[in-house]
């Protein structure tokens, strides 16, 4: 619990709230409207993620007790979990993502096995880059979102993922 937000693990009774947040607060949300059937294609994998080893939480506004976003750790590599975060557009620019990230990351670092946390964002996502830097993140890599040969065929510049390492203080 923070000053403005609470983060809680998603349970069976919050699945509808979680799916709503994933539908409208993720980086790929515009594609759900643009690509016919894409949301229905992705929805089962989001539900399956809840049954896996990842840590997935909803972010609630304390005042309204309304789910306003999600934050997760992808736990494929236990020593280096990857953060995923999304805030509903109408709730952005209020510090909620930053506060939720601090809560989850501080909790994670209670586990001595976690060496660092990976924060993945894109080059153009200024808010996410600022949060990673505010958390002490240092750029540890860049990865193409899609293979370079595909970008060349499309003839357009597509931003890269930027990977920050957030280390224990």
């Amino acid at each position: 619990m923070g000053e403005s937000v609470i983060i809680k693990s998603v349970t069976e009774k919050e699945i509808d709230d979680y799916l709503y947040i994933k539908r409208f607060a993720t980086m790929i949300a515009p594609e759900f409207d643009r690509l016919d059937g894409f949301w229905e294609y992705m929805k089962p994998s989001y539900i399956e993620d809840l049954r896996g080893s990842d840590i997935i939480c909803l972010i609630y506004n304390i005042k309204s007790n309304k789910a306003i976003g999600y934050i997760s750790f992808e736990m494929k590599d236990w020593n280096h979990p990857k953060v995923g975060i999304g805030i509903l557009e109408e709730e952005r620019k209020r510090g909620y993502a930053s506060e939720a990230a601090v809560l989850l990351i501080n909790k994670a670092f209670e586990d001595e096995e976690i060496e660092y946390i990976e924060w993945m964002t894109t080059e153009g996502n200024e808010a996410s880059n600022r949060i990673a830097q505010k958390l002490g993140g240092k750029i540890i890599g860049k990865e193409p979102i899609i293979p370079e040969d595909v970008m060349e065929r499309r003839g357009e510049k597509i931003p890269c993922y930027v990977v920050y390492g957030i280390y224990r203080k």
Side-chain angles (χ1 to χ4, degrees), residues 13-82:
K13 71 179 191 171
E14 289 99 17
I15 288 177
D16 288 340
D17 288 341
Y18 173 67
L19 291 173
Y20 179 84
I21 298 292
K22 287 295 279 191
R23 170 71 177 81
F24 294 103
T26 63
M27 182 177 76
I28 62 171
E31 300 305 312
F32 295 136
D33 291 330
R34 195 174 71 78
L35 301 172
D36 189 41
F38 188 44
W39 170 247
E40 291 306 318
Y41 173 78
M42 292 298 295
K43 193 167 135 180
S45 67
Y46 292 146
I47 294 169
E48 190 60 34
D49 288 345
L50 293 170
R51 294 177 177 89
S53 61
D54 294 347
I55 297 167
I56 302 172
C57 301
L58 284 172
I59 302 167
Y60 291 88
N61 178 308
I62 288 177
K63 288 181 183 171
S64 69
N65 199 32
K66 176 184 163 202
I68 59 168
Y70 78 93
I71 187 165
S72 63
F73 276 152
E74 180 184 291
M75 300 302 293
K76 288 181 182 156
D77 179 351
W78 185 263
N79 297 329
H80 312 117
K82 292 183 180 182

Side-chain angles (χ1 to χ4, degrees), residues 77 81 95 107-108 144 148:
D77 179 351
K107 183 71 175 162
E148 288 185 35

Side-chain angles (χ1 to χ4, degrees), residues 95-158:
Y96 298 142
S98 182
E99 186 176 346
V102 167
L103 291 171
L104 189 61
I105 288 169
N106 286 343
K107 183 71 175 162
F109 278 137
E110 290 175 7
D111 183 331
E112 295 294 324
E113 293 181 27
I114 294 179
E115 296 173 32
Y116 64 89
I117 293 164
E118 290 187 11
W119 184 282
M120 290 189 67
T121 186
T122 59
E123 291 173 315
N125 189 337
E126 293 175 24
S128 187
N129 281 282
R130 271 194 312 273
I131 293 169
Q133 293 164 1
K134 181 179 174 183
L135 295 168
K138 305 291 181 214
I139 295 175
I140 58 173
K142 289 191 176 185
E143 303 172 10
I145 292 175
I146 60 174
E148 288 185 35
D149 63 323
V150 174
M151 284 194 296
E152 288 170 8
R153 279 184 274 155
R154 289 179 59 151
E156 58 186 276
K157 171 102 171 90
I158 296 175

